Amino acid sequence: MDRPRNPDAFMRTLKRLAAFYLALFLAAFQFDAAALAQDQIGGGADDDVFFVDVERNQPPGSTPGDATPVRGDGDGEPRYDGYRSEPACGSRLGVRIPECEQQWFCPPGQMYWHILGRETATGRWVTIGGQCTPTGEEPTLPEATPAEITPAIVLRALRRLGLPEAHAQTQPEGTTLVNFDTIFFADAEIQTRDVTLLGRAVTIEAEPVEFTWHHGDGTSRTTTEPGAPYPARDITHRYASASDEPLAPRVDVTYRARFQVEGGPWRPISETVTIEGPTGSLEVTEATPVLTR
């Protein structure tokens, strides 16, 4: 094997490589991804030694030994509704490393903890700060603030969950006559949904309060009742002319909702939700006179 032409240069290269891989090792072994984004790790080499520099940057709004709840954007809801801590030392396999108990950015005899907060809006756990504590002691966490469930949050959940559509039923069914009182009605009931929002139990009650009937001939009508089958005649429509093709009547139902959080008082949601119904099929024909004896 040929000897390097410049042994000193060769050794300097080896030292730089060793510093580089040591820095990578420290970054991967001791810091999680969220904490790593807040640290600066570098390295270098001299003729006789190599070194690794680690600069610990604190997250905005937090200091070692303290982590405080961070409020949202003026909407009255906490940005974080829960807190927990994780030791910065220890392997991903759950094995504690004794050599890591005392860290260079904490005083001797102390260890560093990541403080994590659960985001109210997403439910995700994110690193928000850190604390140095005496070895064997856990950090002091902020007091969790229960998330406020607002009508806007419940309305978004209700739209995501969806409400049942109503079918426009007619009598006569399938075929009716010109200038004849065709009866319209629909089945629509109060709907109840039990959901968990921001970690809290919420009951939503949606009541149908408005029905918009589309007759299929270009006309429509809005009522506050769903109608009823014959002999009731609560909702009727007269078609002025026969149709060449079957018409497609439908009914759109508008719901007004209210909600309660963990069995508390009912709170209204001012905005309504309208669900468009499926189209049916209805032929409109003219009666043909027939002579009889």
Side-chain angles (χ1 to χ4, degrees):
M1 178 177 177
D2 294 337
R3 293 172 176 259
R5 295 182 181 180
N6 190 336
D8 292 339
F10 179 73
M11 290 302 298
R12 285 195 296 271
T13 301
L14 284 179
K15 291 173 182 178
R16 291 191 181 98
L17 288 173
F20 173 76
Y21 284 114
L22 180 57
L24 287 181
F25 172 80
L26 290 173
F29 189 74
Q30 292 192 23
F31 301 97
D32 58 30
L36 184 59
Q38 300 160 359
D39 301 333
Q40 294 181 359
I41 301 178
D46 207 326
D47 287 342
D48 299 315
V49 297
F50 65 84
F51 59 92
V52 177
D53 289 334
V54 179
E55 180 181 349
R56 183 68 181 179
N57 294 327
Q58 286 303 122
S62 66
T63 58
D66 178 50
T68 56
V70 180
R71 292 288 170 179
D73 299 328
D75 56 5
E77 297 178 16
R79 182 174 176 186
Y80 307 113
D81 57 33
Y83 299 91
R84 64 183 174 88
S85 59
E86 288 184 355
C89 292
S91 75
R92 293 294 189 269
L93 299 178
V95 178
R96 297 294 293 277
I97 308 301
E99 294 82 359
C100 193
E101 295 293 328
Q102 181 175 327
Q103 301 172 70
W104 54 90
F105 43 80
C106 285
Q110 296 193 16
M111 64 177 291
Y112 189 82
W113 295 76
H114 297 305
I115 307 301
L116 294 89
R118 185 176 58 199
E119 292 181 328
T120 298
T122 65
R124 296 180 305 174
W125 288 95
V126 296
T127 301
I128 61 174
Q131 289 185 27
C132 290
T133 66
T135 301
E137 295 184 13
E138 295 190 1
T140 301
L141 298 177
E143 183 177 352
T145 303
E148 180 185 357
I149 308 299
T150 64
I153 292 174
V154 178
L155 183 61
R156 287 196 298 269
L158 185 60
R159 286 174 171 164
R160 184 175 65 251
L161 293 170
L163 289 166
E165 55 190 20
H167 294 258
Q169 302 182 64
T170 63
Q171 286 181 328
E173 181 181 0
T175 303
T176 190
L177 299 174
V178 173
N179 294 321
F180 180 79
D181 283 339
T182 302
I183 298 172
F184 280 77
F185 63 97
D187 291 329
E189 300 176 345
I190 295 177
Q191 304 294 319
T192 302
R193 299 281 191 272
D194 292 319
V195 298
T196 300
L197 300 176
L198 305 181
R200 307 183 70 181
V202 179
T203 299
I204 310 173
E205 185 181 271
E207 179 183 7
V209 294
E210 196 171 85
F211 303 83
T212 301
W213 307 90
H214 301 273
H215 306 117
D217 60 353
T219 65
S220 62
R221 175 188 177 188
T222 298
T223 67
T224 58
E225 299 294 334
Y230 182 84
R233 294 174 176 267
D234 300 335
I235 302 170
T236 63
H237 177 66
R238 288 195 173 198
Y239 290 94
S241 60
S243 60
D244 297 330
E245 304 244 348
L247 303 181
R250 76 170 199 272
V251 60
D252 301 338
V253 181
T254 298
Y255 291 87
R256 179 174 294 121
R258 62 176 186 166
F259 69 97
Q260 62 177 179
V261 180
E262 297 174 342
W266 287 99
R267 297 178 58 188
I269 300 176
S270 59
E271 194 170 342
T272 58
V273 177
T274 298
I275 305 299
E276 182 177 310
T279 57
S281 179
L282 181 66
E283 293 185 3
V284 181
T285 63
E286 290 186 299
T288 303
V290 177
L291 294 176
T292 60
R293 289 186 180 184

